[in-house]
Amino acid sequence: MPEAIINAAVVLNPEEAQALAEATAKSMYARDNATQALGMKIHEVRPGYARLSMLVRSDMLNGHASCHGGFIFALADSAFAFSCNSRNQATVASGCSIEYLAPGAVNDVLTAEAIEQSLAGRTGVYDITVTNQDGKRIALFRGKSYRIKGEVIAGFDATALAKNAAVPVS
């Protein structure tokens, strides 16, 4: 039997936890102007997990005609944000690092997959792999999270949502 997810003092079954992750991502995306402006799309979210993509546009190229590292970092950072906030507990980055492995090119579709490695108390560790449309690894990002006060969606009832239907992410 799948393990239940604990959200604050509430224990959620897997369907409720998934509904919460999807609703949280939808709410965050609606007010995340940076992620939207860069054309990022959310493809999947689960508790502790997110997968986003971004098309490399010509205005994202650096002086070497490859994708500027800041845009690759932004994609990985957004995937990190959606994964670490997926339980509707307001969470911010306390630190992160990135290793660039290969350049991104114009018209590449970069995908960032964020996977929770550890969550204990108020802190978490997330690994994000950025690949291109051919599956080539472009960057490895590690984010450390810190849970702050509050919720992404204040007073949200995941149990009621799960009973009605899942919320589509994209």
Side-chain angles (χ1 to χ4, degrees), residues 128-148:
I128 297 86
T129 303
V130 178
T131 57
N132 68 10
Q133 66 280 354
D134 299 322
K136 182 176 184 176
R137 289 192 309 172
I138 302 299
L140 300 174
F141 176 109
R142 173 159 275 191
K144 299 173 195 167
S145 68
Y146 184 78
R147 186 170 36 96
I148 59 175

Side-chain angles (χ1 to χ4, degrees), residues 32 34-35 40 50 52 73-83:
D32 187 339
T35 294
M40 294 180 202
L52 280 69
F73 186 98
L75 173 63
D77 189 45
S78 286
F80 170 43
F82 284 98
S83 63

Side-chain angles (χ1 to χ4, degrees), residues 57-131:
R57 305 180 312 233
S58 62
D59 63 341
M60 296 175 169
L61 301 182
N62 62 22
H64 298 291
S66 62
C67 185
H68 190 288
F71 292 110
I72 297 168
F73 186 98
L75 173 63
D77 189 45
S78 286
F80 170 43
F82 284 98
S83 63
C84 71
N85 281 278
S86 61
R87 293 179 179 86
N88 195 35
Q89 296 174 327
T91 306
V92 296
S94 64
C96 49
S97 63
I98 193 165
E99 304 298 327
Y100 298 102
L101 308 176
V106 70
N107 296 322
D108 273 355
V109 175
L110 301 182
T111 299
E113 182 179 45
I115 301 172
E116 183 176 88
Q117 300 299 318
S118 173
L119 183 61
R122 296 172 82 78
T123 63
V125 176
Y126 297 77
D127 285 336
I128 297 86
T129 303
V130 178
T131 57

